[in-house]
Amino acid sequence: MNSCNVCQAETKNKCSNCNQVAYCSVQHQKQDWKSHKSNCHPFRVAHNELLGRHLVATRNIKPYEIVLKEAPLMRGPAQISVPVCMGCLNSIEPNDHITCDKCGWPLCGPECQALDEHKAECQLTEARGQKVNVQEFNGPHPLYTCVSTVRCLLLSETNPANAEKFQQLESLEQTRRGSNQWKADLASIGQFIPKFFRTQKFSEEEIMRAVGALQINGHEVPTSDPPHVAVFYTASFTENSCVPNLAKSFTKNGHCILWAPKAIKKGANLSICYSDAVWGTADRQRHLMQTKLFKCTCERCVDVTELGTYYSALKCEDRKCTGLLLPIKADDWNGCWRCRECQKQVQRKYVDGILERAIKDIQSMEKTAENGFKYLKHYEKWLPPQHYHLSEVKILQVQLIAKDQKELMVLPDEQLQLKLKYAKELIELYEILAPCEVRMLGTLCFELHSAIAEHTRRVALQSNLSPKEMLEESLLYVEKCVNYLQYESDIFVEGHILKQAKINRDALRMVIRIS
């Protein structure tokens, strides 16, 4: 039995959404909703020595269900940023902007000057007694390095409630202290802020703690161009997994949406990927150690085969052998690699030589379908079909082979079959490895749906038949597209794909009903 949150009477009934708070009646639940609403989530905050604070599901979570929708505590320019408007955080042109009449920071226009977010650095700069004068616009500008840290430091003045939450976030200051990154941040931010703003409001310790909290908890938010950084309170408690169970989307105004692409069982820890799930394990591990200061031990990272996909493997050096090379030790990607069939070992230098050439060629390659085919043909000598470099080029190929419906209708059959093949393989691969990379998966599903629809059209023309099974397959993938992209705003390309996918879905349903 539990106690009613209003009258303390014993009851068996709990809030069906969060499964944590009890009510003896519907009336008491409605009465308490105003105060309970902000904390009514299908998870609780737990704590242990290994993970620290983390989120645990308090009930079964259904596929596509929103788990958390949250406004940022603070948002601002990335630490390495070109000059941007200090209001909307979008890039500005040298001859198409204004400067704040109080502080001199660049702005898009008068409407951005009035935004609350600009007040923090505006008042601090005005108190400095000299306006900012940004003259260089062709690349990262050093002045912007400190802006988001300043906004974090001034939360106590601009938003005390958010300041209190920000102070609760982990900064890993003691772990970071003395590292090369910490020393660089001390020079460019910790020592720069007091000198540039001519202020003693913040101690070096306060500044460096804010820098750490921002780097450890910051999220890249793509609602501006370039993307900006934001800190979310509750979302910061999600743990890392390279096969996470939560996807991350953003509203037009930069609020974070965490949702479940697949069902999550009660008692499961809620996770997002702190790195990039489409990277290979060595790159993810390196990035996490550099930016978040820990080594991931999720199910994917402790398995050198990456859940049986061999996503980072190389083909054996012996051309007569069909085996694959992988690290001898799952926790040492920089050590020797060994063929899993003939047991031949190679040094990491051999592996690096292949991978460095492969990435260099991708970066320098003019992005055309013809060049993509040449790349795939060349590197299949060393890389297995699902390797991350080949997969990256195949994603490009799916998009480049017929960029719109008109091109698709006149595409040679051979290339249409390759588009179908690549798209199916990629969806199958990433639904295993990166099930929460919903923008990529949604886009691939739309491309596959379109290619299947075109193939169906050609079959129907040649045989005077309407292949219902093919239409149903096309419908299957456009429905998956809608599911994957359903929370994407129309300010993104994926949001526009979602609109078209819904139109195509409804049209296909009608065709199938009457066929």
Side-chain angles (χ1 to χ4, degrees), residues 314-323 325 342 344 350 354 357 378-383:
L314 300 185
K315 289 184 176 180
C316 183
E317 188 182 24
D318 184 348
R319 292 289 178 260
K320 296 178 182 178
C321 178
T322 59
L325 294 165
C342 72
K344 182 176 181 179
Y350 170 80
I354 295 172
R357 289 198 308 273
H378 179 67
Y379 278 99
E380 69 179 10
K381 301 170 191 174
W382 299 281
L383 308 178

Side-chain angles (χ1 to χ4, degrees), residues 11 42 65 83 96 105 115 125 127 131 161 176 272 285 318 332 334 382 385 392 436 439 448 489 498 500 514:
T11 178
E65 184 178 347
D96 188 21
W105 284 101
L115 293 176
T125 308
K131 290 183 179 181
R176 295 177 68 251
I272 61 174
Q285 291 277 18
D318 184 348
D332 185 12
N334 294 315
W382 299 281
E392 180 182 351
C436 293
R439 284 174 285 280
L448 180 54
S489 167
L498 173 63
Q500 187 60 52
I514 62 177

